[in-house]
């Protein structure tokens, strides 16, 4: 699954040309719902602060992306980003 985001720091400045730690969490039913899948990524932002991710292809923390029963949703994607670290 493709995902893109623009990364900014706590001062709202773009984080450009550097690694950022991102954790992707897939929840079932609601924002505080059951955690179905978690992964970590450390993409490098471009000159505009943009990162492009392929969810389901990297360091898995919990669950399996292939094991998600998409018909049993709804599902929500929660992201946690640390622009100062290479691991979220």
């Amino acid at each position: 699954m493709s995902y893109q985001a623009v990364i900014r720091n706590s001062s709202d400045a773009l984080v450009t040309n550097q690694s950022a730690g991102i954790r992707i969490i897939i929840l079932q039913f609601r924002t505080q719902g059951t955690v179905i899948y978690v992964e970590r990524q450390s993409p490098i932002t471009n000159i505009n602060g943009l990162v492009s991710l392929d969810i389901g292809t990297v360091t898995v923390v919990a669950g399996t992306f292939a094991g998600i029963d998409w018909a049993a949703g709804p599902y929500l994607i929660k992201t946690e980003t640390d622009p100062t670290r290479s691991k979220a």
Side-chain angles (χ1 to χ4, degrees):
M1 175 185 310
S2 296
Y3 180 84
Q4 290 186 317
V6 173
I7 309 298
R8 294 180 178 272
N9 65 20
S10 60
S11 300
D12 204 30
L14 290 173
V15 175
T16 61
N17 300 314
Q18 68 185 49
S19 181
I22 299 177
R23 185 170 21 209
I24 305 291
I25 303 162
I26 297 180
L27 302 160
Q28 190 174 27
F29 299 123
R30 59 189 185 280
T31 57
Q32 299 301 319
T34 303
V35 174
I36 302 298
Y37 176 80
V38 181
E39 74 177 34
R40 282 189 301 223
Q41 296 201 25
S42 299
I44 296 175
T45 61
N46 70 11
I47 194 167
N48 299 309
L50 180 71
V51 293
S52 296
L53 310 175
D54 287 323
I55 298 172
T57 63
V58 295
T59 307
V60 176
V61 176
T64 61
F65 191 78
I68 299 172
D69 179 3
W70 296 105
Y75 291 97
L76 296 93
I77 296 176
K78 176 181 176 181
T79 61
E80 297 174 344
T81 303
D82 185 343
T84 64
R85 299 194 177 262
S86 61
K87 301 251 181 187

